[in-house]
Amino acid sequence: MTPDLLAPLDLAFWNIESAQHPMHLGALGVFAAHSPTAGAHAADLLAARAVAVPGLRMRIRDVWQPLDPLAFGSAAREPAPDFEPLDHVRLHAPTADFHTVAGRLMERPLERGRPPWEAHVLPGEDGVSFAVLFKFHHALADGLRALMLAAAIMDPMDMPEPRPRPAEPPRGLFPDVRKLPGLLRGTLSDVGRALDIGTSVARATLGVRSTPALTSQPTGTRRTAGVALDLDEVHRVRKTVGGTVNDVLIAVVAGALRRWLDERGDGSDGVTPRALIPVSRRRPRTAHPQGNRLSGYLIHLPVDDPDPLGRLRTVRTAMDRNKDAGPHRGAGAVALLADHVPPLGHRLGGPVVGQAARLLFDILVTSVPLPSLGLKLGGCPLTEVYPFAPLARGQALAVAVSTYRGRVHYGLVADAEAVPDLDLLARALSEEVETLIIACGS
């Protein structure tokens, strides 16, 4: 079988991982239980259904083809010959705090020798709810792909099927000599594009400094928290001030950081942390369904501005400027450099790249799409869902946000030692929305 080579950005995620900085996405879904045994039943369903989902049976292995420069040092997806779903679906003891358990589970890297995903079922002590923590390695799936894989083992529902990627001809051990001139021209063109992107990245980050409160020495510990807000309230702010829902959600993060820093005594004066806002470059119908296709925008969060509407205007202006320039410019475009680095370069340079994130941005603020249709597991409706982003080396906090069934869900992941008061930041998110509504006179 011809190996399905990882896309360049997937390969980058695979190689920058370390024991203290696992590169998996997560999502904590909370379900309304119809019986005290609903969690155990859900675990059985997940294990039984995973066998029938091809994407969940895929492992990642190294590829060494010395005479093929397009594959040497790469990695590929292939079906795991000994796939056992019970190795990936685990039922835990009942708990009163889903986030406390989720934080500990997010610390643990996925096993690289088998399909890199896990589902942890957490029954609630109250007997009326249970949660499922899904973990997918970023090399296996981006946010949209992870959603589709998770939805495939939930109760059946109508989900759009991705258009299959056109089959590529098998690669031999030797490159086709007739294609060498074209490969050479393509390589030179890639080098030119990479230099252009690199120059743009360097220019965008010149002279900026990290925010100490959002950076940390790596401890490998994790803490999670979440907060659900009313989407209608976000729309009320947007309709009053203008801009997009995403602009409001980013401004809410800026205001919450201000409250949190002031409350913990760090102070917000002069604090303008650099936020990386990932941007999907996935084209409908034609995009590779299994490959990460990302760029990003970089903005300075106006944490130091005491005016909530002023913070929102600053965010809106910065995002409009980024959109006008497009996803190929600015420090956020650093992800595009992955497309121009040969596989061996990713393998050798992964550890260095993994340490460079703190030089580019202080905090990740990402949006994860969710379907508007209600999801169920074993007949139990999904009531809340908190997405979790990977935490880059040297950074203390990452923020992910999703909208589901009329609610906005913020999922927070932090270094547990650097941010022991993550619950205060979650509370500050709710308070900031209320402040914006008052400021708008709504």
Side-chain angles (χ1 to χ4, degrees):
M1 179 178 177
T2 304
D4 177 21
L5 294 180
L6 296 186
L9 192 52
D10 299 345
L11 186 60
F13 287 135
W14 188 246
N15 284 308
I16 66 176
E17 181 173 65
S18 68
Q20 291 185 319
H21 288 85
M23 292 303 298
H24 52 251
L25 309 168
L28 182 67
V30 180
F31 296 81
H34 49 57
S35 74
T37 61
H41 179 54
D44 292 339
L45 285 176
L46 292 174
R49 293 170 178 174
V51 177
V53 181
L56 297 178
R57 300 198 305 268
M58 303 298 284
R59 69 177 182 183
I60 296 175
R61 67 172 178 86
D62 293 336
V63 173
W64 296 98
Q65 296 183 10
L67 298 177
D68 186 350
L70 298 180
F72 184 68
S74 186
R77 298 180 188 87
E78 66 175 11
D82 54 351
F83 175 67
E84 174 51 66
L86 293 179
D87 291 337
H88 300 266
V89 180
R90 298 163 192 174
L91 177 64
H92 294 256
T95 178
D97 188 343
F98 296 138
H99 277 288
T100 295
V101 180
R104 292 196 296 265
L105 293 173
M106 286 295 289
E107 294 177 4
R108 306 175 187 175
L110 296 165
E111 287 197 32
R112 292 169 72 92
R114 60 189 187 189
W117 69 275
E118 292 175 352
H120 297 269
V121 182
L122 315 176
E125 283 187 352
D126 56 12
V128 299
S129 64
F130 67 90
V132 180
L133 174 68
F134 288 102
K135 293 168 56 178
F136 294 95
H137 199 286
H138 219 327
L140 179 70
D142 59 10
L144 180 58
R145 177 67 176 171
L147 164 67
M148 298 182 72
L149 290 173
I153 50 179
M154 306 275 280
D155 290 355
M157 61 178 292
D158 293 330
M159 287 287 291
E161 292 292 331
R163 184 172 180 174
R165 178 170 52 175
E168 296 181 359
R171 290 177 177 164
L173 292 178
F174 297 89
D176 189 339
V177 295
R178 294 171 297 179
K179 297 181 179 179
L180 286 178
L183 288 173
L184 179 60
R185 286 194 298 271
T187 299
L188 292 175
S189 178
D190 283 349
V191 169
R193 284 194 294 269
L195 289 173
D196 184 42
I197 294 171
T199 300
S200 179
V201 169
R203 186 183 304 115
T205 57
L206 187 64
V208 296
R209 298 180 179 178
S210 297
T211 300
L214 299 179
T215 60
S216 72
Q217 294 299 318
T219 68
T221 60
R222 293 292 181 272
R223 185 184 303 273
T224 73
V227 61
L229 309 175
D230 191 333
L231 181 59
D232 285 342
E233 293 184 344
V234 175
H235 277 298
R236 286 165 62 187
V237 175
R238 178 192 61 81
K239 291 176 181 178
T240 302
V241 181
T244 67
V245 166
N246 200 42
D247 294 342
V248 177
L249 297 179
I250 295 171
V252 167
V253 173
L257 286 173
R258 178 182 176 83
R259 293 172 180 271
W260 174 63
L261 291 174
D262 286 343
E263 187 170 351
R264 70 195 322 234
D266 289 333
S268 56
D269 291 343
V271 175
T272 57
R274 300 160 302 173
L276 179 65
I277 316 294
V279 177
S280 175
R281 297 192 302 123
R282 185 186 294 273
R283 291 182 297 173
R285 300 182 179 273
T286 60
H288 295 184
Q290 297 190 66
N292 281 279
R293 305 292 294 172
L294 295 171
S295 181
Y297 297 144
L298 188 85
I299 70 170
H300 284 268
L301 296 179
V303 174
D304 60 345
D305 188 342
D307 177 13
L309 295 184
R311 291 192 291 268
L312 178 51
R313 285 191 293 268
T314 298
V315 167
R316 179 184 177 186
T317 299
M319 289 298 290
D320 287 346
R321 184 168 56 248
N322 274 305
K323 292 171 187 176
D324 289 342
H328 293 77
R329 292 292 184 271
V334 68
L336 300 180
L337 290 174
D339 293 338
H340 308 295
V341 176
L344 187 59
H346 283 293
R347 185 174 296 274
L348 297 177
V352 176
V353 173
Q355 299 181 50
R358 66 186 304 174
L359 302 177
L360 294 170
F361 61 97
D362 300 308
I363 182 173
L364 179 73
V365 182
T366 184
S367 178
V368 181
L370 288 177
S372 58
L373 299 176
L375 297 172
K376 294 182 179 181
L377 180 56
C380 300
L382 176 67
T383 59
E384 304 169 50
V385 56
Y386 301 100
F388 301 136
L391 196 58
R393 179 181 294 273
Q395 296 179 339
L397 175 69
V399 179
V401 59
S402 289
T403 55
Y404 175 72
R405 307 286 286 177
R407 303 283 282 172
V408 175
H409 293 85
Y410 280 95
L412 310 177
V413 176
D415 183 290
E417 294 188 18
V419 188
D421 54 351
L422 190 61
D423 56 325
L424 298 182
L425 177 59
R427 187 182 68 193
L429 289 166
S430 296
E431 293 172 346
E432 181 63 15
V433 172
E434 296 174 3
T435 297
L436 280 168
I437 291 174
I438 294 173
C440 291
S442 300

